Amino acid sequence: MSPSPHTRRLTADFLIVGGGIAGYQTALDLLSLGSVALVSRGSIASGSSYYAQGGLAIPWGFDREAIDSHVEDTIRAGAGLCDPERVRLLIEGAEEAFATLVSYGVPFDRDESGQILFTREAAHSRPRIVHAGGDKTGSYILKTLAQNVHGHERFTFLTPYRLTRLLKGSDGRIVGGLFMDEEGEGWLEVLAKATIMATGGFSALFARTTNPPSQVGDAAAVCHRSGAILERLAFTQFHPTVLDLPGESPFLLTEALRGEGGHVVNSAGERILFRYHPEGELAPRDVVSRALWLEARANPESGLYLSVTHLPAPYLKRRFPQVYSHCLSLGIDLSRDWAPIRPAAHFQMGGIKTDMEGRTNLPGLYAVGEVASTRVHGANRLASNSLLEALVMGHRCVRGISADPEWREKGIEPPPPEEREIPRTMLSVPPDLVSMKMIQELLWEKAGIVRFMSLVLSGREEIRSWLAMMREGPVTAEGALIRNALELSREIFEDLLVAPRVGANYFQGESPAQSGSSTQKKGKE
Ligand code: SIN
C-alpha cells in the first residue's frame, strides 16, 4: 500500500524525538555534525523540562573533593542501586554542561557582586544547586537552548506529532520514525542516520502527577515494540511537596523550599518528618513521600502542609516567584498560610536501557534524558540531578554518535516498503471499554508510593485483562495512546514484582510472592 497523500516525508542526518532540555541540548551539539530534524508533541511548554523549578545540581569548584561529595550524595539518595562509575561520569560532566549554558547566555541567578547563587535541596550535603529566574530554571534553560537552535539552517522543527513506529533498514539498523499528528489524521515519515529519543518519562500514567498530561511514555512503548530493552520501570519517584487543593491540578512546590528552611507540619503544627528520618525535611525524596503517605494513613483527619511562613515575605516573593504567585492565585499566601500537600508521581529513574553514550541495544537508536535508564539515579534520584543528566548525556551522546563510523560510512538504508506503509487499522481497546483515566487510577492505586503485593498482582491481572480486549479498529490518536499506555503498564507491573524492594520500590505488609534481581525487559516485534 502506498503512503497516503497526507504523509509528509523528509530525510535528515539526525532525528531527535522530543523537545525538552535533553532533546535541544543534543540538537545543538549535533548541528555541528549534520542536519537535525526535531519532532515534538507541541511547544517547549508541552514537556516536563519547562516546569523544572529547583535547578541544576553541579559540584561547584569542580575539584576532586566537590565531585566526590556530589557522587556520594547521589549514590546515597539512590538507595544503593546507582552504578558508581556512571555516577562519576555524570558528575564529572557537570563543568562542561554548566559552562556551555553560561556561554549560551542562560541567566543564572547571582548576588549583587555577580557571584552565582546556590541553593540546597534534600539529601544534598551542601548547597550546590544553581537556579534561574528564582524557581523558573527549566524554562530559562530550555528557552535559551531553543533560541540557539531555531533558525539554524540545518535545523527543522516538526510538531505536533507522536511517534507510532520506529523504521528499520533492511540491515536491521533504526533509520528513523513514522509519526501521527495529534489528531490522528496526518502522517510524518523522517528517515535519518541516527535516531535519538528524548521524550521524557511516564509520570502522567499516574492519576496524580507533577508532569504535563502528555508524559505518558508512549514513545518508550513504541521503542519496546521494536525490540528496545526497558529496565527499572518500577522506580517511579514521587515528589512529596505537591499542592493538594480540591478540584485543582497538582502543582509542584519545589524542594528548594525545604532546602531553604521550609517545614512539613501536621494540622497541629508539629514537624512530623523527624519521626521518620534524622534529617527531617532534608531526608531523601522517597523517604519524605513515604513518610507523608504513612502519616496520612495513620492520621487521616490531620492535614499535611508545607510551611514557609517563618521565612521573610519579600525573600519568598523574590526567590520563588512562580510558586508564590501560583499559590496566591489559588488563595494561599505562602508568607502567611500553610500549603496543603500530597505526593505525586514526578520522575522515572528507569526507561530505555542505554550506556553512557546513550546507545540502546538497537543499532542506530539512542536515548537521552528521562526516557533513558542510565543507572545514574539508582532507585531514587537526587534532587536537581535530572537537568544535569539531560545536559551531560546530550553532550555524551553526540560524542558517541560522532565516534560511530556506521552513520558516516553508510547512507540511509531505506526500510522495506511494508515498514513504510501507513497503517489503515490499528490494534487497541475501544475507548468506551478502557480510558486513560482508568489506567492512571489503577497505577496510582496499585503501583503507587507504597506497594502491596496483593495490589500489584491484582493490578497486573487488570492490565492483562484490558490488553486481552485489544482488537483491530480504526486508526486514532487516542487508540494509539491507550495501547501504548497498556503495554507500558504491563511492563511496569512485571518489573514491580522483580525489582529490588528499596527506595522507590518500597513494599509494605504482605511478604513478596517472588524475588529476583533482573529487571530488564526485552522488547518484542
Ligand atoms: C523540585 O524543584 O523540587 C524538583 C527538582 C527535581 O525534580 O529534582
Side-chain angles (χ1 to χ4, degrees), residues 5-253:
H6 301 295
T7 307
R8 181 172 176 192
R9 307 175 96 179
L10 85 142
T11 300
D13 290 316
F14 306 106
L15 164 63
I16 297 175
V17 188
I21 288 178
Y24 271 103
Q25 179 61 76
T26 307
L28 259 171
D29 288 8
L30 279 175
L31 282 166
S32 62
L33 298 179
S35 59
V36 175
L38 190 151
V39 183
S40 171
R41 289 170 294 230
S43 72
I44 56 171
S46 63
S48 299
S49 296
Y50 191 84
Y51 303 93
Q53 295 176 4
L56 170 68
I58 55 171
W60 184 244
F62 304 110
D63 54 19
R64 167 69 52 193
E65 189 278 331
I67 290 173
D68 286 350
S69 155
H70 195 162
V71 168
E72 279 162 27
D73 289 353
T74 301
I75 291 173
R76 200 168 38 243
L81 285 177
C82 302
D83 178 322
E85 283 173 26
R86 290 177 172 210
V87 173
R88 187 162 289 281
L89 291 176
L90 172 75
I91 308 300
E92 285 175 351
E95 183 168 11
E96 178 196 26
F98 178 64
T100 309
L101 292 183
V102 171
S103 75
Y104 292 147
V106 176
F108 286 106
D109 295 334
R110 295 171 186 265
D111 65 13
E112 299 78 32
S113 62
Q115 299 300 309
I116 293 278
L117 289 167
F118 296 91
T119 192
R120 187 171 179 193
E121 290 183 271
H124 285 273
S125 56
R126 62 181 70 171
R128 61 161 76 89
I129 294 141
V130 292
H131 43 89
D135 55 6
K136 300 180 187 156
T137 313
S139 64
Y140 275 46
I141 292 177
L142 189 49
K143 281 183 199 159
T144 306
L145 293 175
Q147 275 159 12
N148 279 274
V149 168
H150 284 266
H152 194 292
E153 58 186 12
R154 290 169 150 182
F155 181 73
T156 308
F157 182 65
L158 300 144
T159 194
Y161 292 104
R162 279 184 185 266
L163 183 69
T164 57
R165 187 193 296 159
L166 288 175
L167 297 173
K168 265 189 194 167
S170 44
D171 58 356
R173 192 176 165 86
I174 301 299
V175 288
L178 182 67
F179 300 81
M180 188 195 296
D181 75 19
E182 287 285 307
E183 276 73 51
E185 285 161 7
W187 293 86
L188 168 71
E189 180 198 84
V190 183
L191 295 182
K193 294 173 182 169
T195 298
I196 300 100
M197 303 302 301
T199 46
F202 54 82
S203 287
L205 269 189
F206 291 78
R208 191 171 157 73
T209 179
T210 60
N211 287 201
S214 64
Q215 295 301 121
V216 287
D218 50 313
V222 169
C223 292
H224 184 55
R225 276 207 293 282
S226 286
I229 293 172
L230 304 180
E231 66 165 17
R232 298 186 164 205
L233 301 181
F235 298 152
T236 293
Q237 179 170 80
F238 294 87
H239 198 293
T241 55
V242 182
L243 192 61
D244 184 30
L245 288 175
E248 296 297 335
S249 300
F251 180 80
L252 182 68
L253 304 176

Side-chain angles (χ1 to χ4, degrees), residues 53-54 121 239 252 254-255 285 346 381 383-384 386:
Q53 295 176 4
E121 290 183 271
H239 198 293
L252 182 68
T254 175
E255 195 155 282
R285 202 174 273 179
H346 181 63
R381 174 174 63 74
S384 291
S386 51

Side-chain angles (χ1 to χ4, degrees), residues 161-492:
Y161 292 104
R162 279 184 185 266
L163 183 69
T164 57
R165 187 193 296 159
L166 288 175
L167 297 173
K168 265 189 194 167
S170 44
D171 58 356
R173 192 176 165 86
I174 301 299
V175 288
L178 182 67
F179 300 81
M180 188 195 296
D181 75 19
E182 287 285 307
E183 276 73 51
E185 285 161 7
W187 293 86
L188 168 71
E189 180 198 84
V190 183
L191 295 182
K193 294 173 182 169
T195 298
I196 300 100
M197 303 302 301
T199 46
F202 54 82
S203 287
L205 269 189
F206 291 78
R208 191 171 157 73
T209 179
T210 60
N211 287 201
S214 64
Q215 295 301 121
V216 287
D218 50 313
V222 169
C223 292
H224 184 55
R225 276 207 293 282
S226 286
I229 293 172
L230 304 180
E231 66 165 17
R232 298 186 164 205
L233 301 181
F235 298 152
T236 293
Q237 179 170 80
F238 294 87
H239 198 293
T241 55
V242 182
L243 192 61
D244 184 30
L245 288 175
E248 296 297 335
S249 300
F251 180 80
L252 182 68
L253 304 176
T254 175
E255 195 155 282
L257 284 157
R258 297 202 316 282
E260 300 216 4
H263 296 161
V264 171
V265 296
N266 61 15
S267 302
E270 295 162 340
R271 289 174 68 185
I272 47 114
L273 292 177
F274 288 97
R275 298 175 195 160
Y276 297 88
H277 196 280
E279 303 213 33
E281 278 83 5
L282 296 182
R285 202 174 273 179
D286 61 322
V287 175
V288 178
S289 286
R290 270 200 303 280
L292 297 188
W293 187 95
L294 292 167
E295 195 68 25
R297 196 167 70 144
N299 302 297
E301 301 309 317
S302 173
L304 292 165
Y305 304 89
L306 180 68
S307 166
V308 288
T309 54
H310 52 291
L311 303 179
Y315 159 78
L316 281 176
K317 292 178 195 172
R318 188 182 67 250
R319 175 66 185 84
F320 301 104
Q322 181 174 210
V323 169
Y324 186 85
S325 63
H326 183 85
C327 289
L328 199 59
S329 74
L330 298 172
I332 295 174
D333 179 344
L334 284 178
S335 66
R336 290 195 314 235
D337 306 320
W338 298 347
I341 51 169
R342 193 155 63 103
H346 181 63
F347 185 87
Q348 309 303 322
M349 276 66 73
I352 301 174
K353 186 182 181 198
T354 70
D355 66 12
M356 282 301 278
E357 270 80 41
R359 280 181 210 95
T360 70
N361 61 309
L362 300 179
L365 183 71
Y366 298 77
V368 288
E370 190 179 347
V371 70
S373 172
T374 55
R375 303 191 170 198
V376 294
H377 302 308
N380 174 59
R381 174 174 63 74
L382 185 67
S384 291
N385 265 359
S386 51
L387 299 192
L388 180 65
E389 181 193 18
L391 296 160
V392 170
M393 289 307 298
H395 290 305
R396 292 187 62 92
C397 179
V398 176
R399 275 192 211 114
I401 291 172
S402 168
D404 174 2
E406 285 261 310
W407 72 268
R408 284 181 196 279
E409 287 161 13
K410 289 185 170 179
I412 297 169
E413 192 81 39
E418 61 275 15
E419 276 271 312
R420 304 174 75 178
E421 271 178 21
I422 304 302
R424 304 293 187 204
T425 60
M426 67 183 288
L427 256 188
S428 192
V429 180
D432 52 328
L433 297 182
V434 180
S435 65
M436 188 61 91
K437 191 162 183 285
M438 288 162 70
I439 300 171
Q440 290 162 329
E441 281 171 1
L442 182 82
L443 279 164
W444 179 253
E445 193 192 334
K446 301 193 171 176
I449 300 160
V450 170
R451 281 94 194 249
F452 292 86
M453 186 52 62
S454 57
L455 291 183
V456 170
L457 290 171
S458 75
R460 181 175 71 163
E461 282 320 300
E462 206 144 355
I463 293 288
R464 283 179 176 173
S465 70
W466 289 345
L467 277 163
M469 295 179 202
M470 283 214 292
R471 53 177 183 258
E472 285 294 325
V475 176
T476 63
E478 192 188 356
L481 276 177
I482 297 289
R483 178 189 181 183
N484 290 329
L486 285 174
E487 290 182 356
L488 190 56
S489 300
R490 176 190 61 208
E491 302 307 318
I492 295 168

